[in-house]
Amino acid sequence: MIYNKSYKIEGKIITKNDIINMINSVIKKMNQKESYFKVSASFKDGTTIEEKDFSIFDNIYFEKKFLETIRIDIEDNTYVNSVSISISNKDIGKVYIRTSDGNFFDSVCHSIEENLGLMSKQNKVYILGDRFWGYLVVQALLIILEVLLLLILNLVFKINIPTAVIYLIVALFPSIMSLYITHYIEKYYPVNQFYISDSSVNNPNKHHNYILKIISFILTNI
């Protein structure tokens, strides 16, 4: 009997140690003398490097080049029991398990779930940049916010704004701003982020001022 299962890797900040621990935990479940693994890393400039041990993470590329994908293939010499791990900062990553050993299957599933649970979580705002409905949600929120600000200007400050200007503000600016915001979120809050080291270009982005930028843009235009 063949067992198969896959897991998603999404909304995580993934460190070098997270990756190494995941590999080690799988290898321990296999017969270490009869198993091997290969790690390949793809960078934004098109460069790909491969290695069959952890020395790959000492390569200077991880410090100087922007990392896009890491793929790990772990197998034993039967070519039946295998675990493939693909981690990307553009798309949802995956762990795929294939084995003929029921005990190994249960054990490695538990191990993968534990490792994924220990990874730090990405800021949930990434969902707005990743989901197809994110643009509509952002646009709806901007329209509500702009309508509230227009009402405040009219009712509190007694500023009468021409109907044509109101229509322009409510109809045009949220559409333009939604494109900017979703692009901003997609760029600075990807599906997953790598954290190689403090000195590496592959660090979690810490842009927490996006709300202030949105409000500033609306106030400026009004």
Side-chain angles (χ1 to χ4, degrees):
M1 181 179 292
I2 300 296
Y3 301 85
N4 294 282
K5 191 166 185 177
S6 63
Y7 292 92
K8 292 181 179 179
I9 304 178
E10 177 184 10
K12 301 291 186 180
I13 295 176
I14 303 158
T15 68
K16 178 171 67 175
N17 285 337
D18 287 331
I19 299 169
I20 292 173
N21 289 339
M22 186 178 289
I23 295 171
N24 278 331
S25 67
V26 173
I27 289 176
K28 285 179 181 178
K29 307 300 180 184
M30 292 183 177
N31 186 329
Q32 295 189 48
K33 293 181 180 179
E34 299 178 353
S35 62
Y36 72 94
F37 69 92
K38 180 180 71 175
V39 181
S40 61
S42 300
F43 298 87
K44 193 173 181 179
D45 67 348
T47 304
T48 300
I49 57 176
E50 294 184 0
E51 188 55 82
K52 294 183 177 180
D53 57 52
F54 294 126
S55 65
I56 189 172
F57 294 108
D58 297 325
N59 193 295
I60 192 65
Y61 282 14
F62 285 95
E63 295 287 324
K64 303 298 182 183
K65 294 181 180 288
F66 287 100
L67 184 60
E68 285 194 337
T69 305
I70 290 180
R71 180 177 174 84
I72 304 106
D73 293 299
I74 309 170
E75 295 182 340
D76 64 12
N77 59 5
T78 66
Y79 299 103
V80 175
N81 303 319
S82 66
V83 177
S84 297
I85 304 166
S86 179
I87 307 169
S88 172
N89 61 4
K90 282 189 171 183
D91 303 303
I92 295 173
K94 288 191 175 181
V95 180
Y96 182 73
I97 303 166
R98 184 178 188 275
T99 179
S100 60
D101 187 333
N103 291 327
F104 170 73
F105 179 73
D106 292 336
S107 180
V108 79
C109 282
H110 174 75
S111 181
I112 293 297
E113 290 166 7
E114 184 178 38
N115 276 273
L116 293 177
L118 291 173
M119 292 179 181
S120 299
K121 293 182 179 179
Q122 164 72 295
N123 191 317
K124 286 190 176 180
V125 74
Y126 84 89
I127 294 173
L128 294 177
D130 179 61
R131 302 296 193 271
F132 72 93
W133 45 260
Y135 172 85
L136 297 177
V137 171
V138 172
Q139 189 175 34
L141 292 174
L142 288 174
I143 290 173
I144 293 170
L145 183 56
E146 289 203 330
V147 168
L148 289 174
L149 289 172
L150 288 169
L151 289 173
I152 291 171
L153 289 175
N154 183 259
L155 299 176
V156 178
F157 297 100
K158 305 301 180 183
I159 299 174
N160 292 317
I161 301 174
T163 303
V165 176
I166 293 176
Y167 177 81
L168 184 67
I169 291 173
V170 174
L172 181 61
F173 289 130
S175 298
I176 297 173
M177 192 58 183
S178 296
L179 290 172
Y180 168 79
I181 293 171
T182 51
H183 176 72
Y184 178 90
I185 292 172
E186 186 178 7
K187 180 179 179 181
Y188 292 106
Y189 296 92
V191 177
N192 296 300
Q193 291 195 65
F194 293 108
Y195 190 179
I196 300 304
S197 72
D198 290 332
S199 60
S200 172
V201 297
N202 298 292
N203 264 332
N205 295 308
K206 298 178 181 179
H207 293 258
H208 301 296
N209 60 343
Y210 56 91
I211 295 177
L212 293 176
K213 287 189 175 184
I214 294 170
I215 294 173
S216 298
F217 180 88
I218 296 170
L219 290 175
T220 300
N221 282 285
I222 291 179

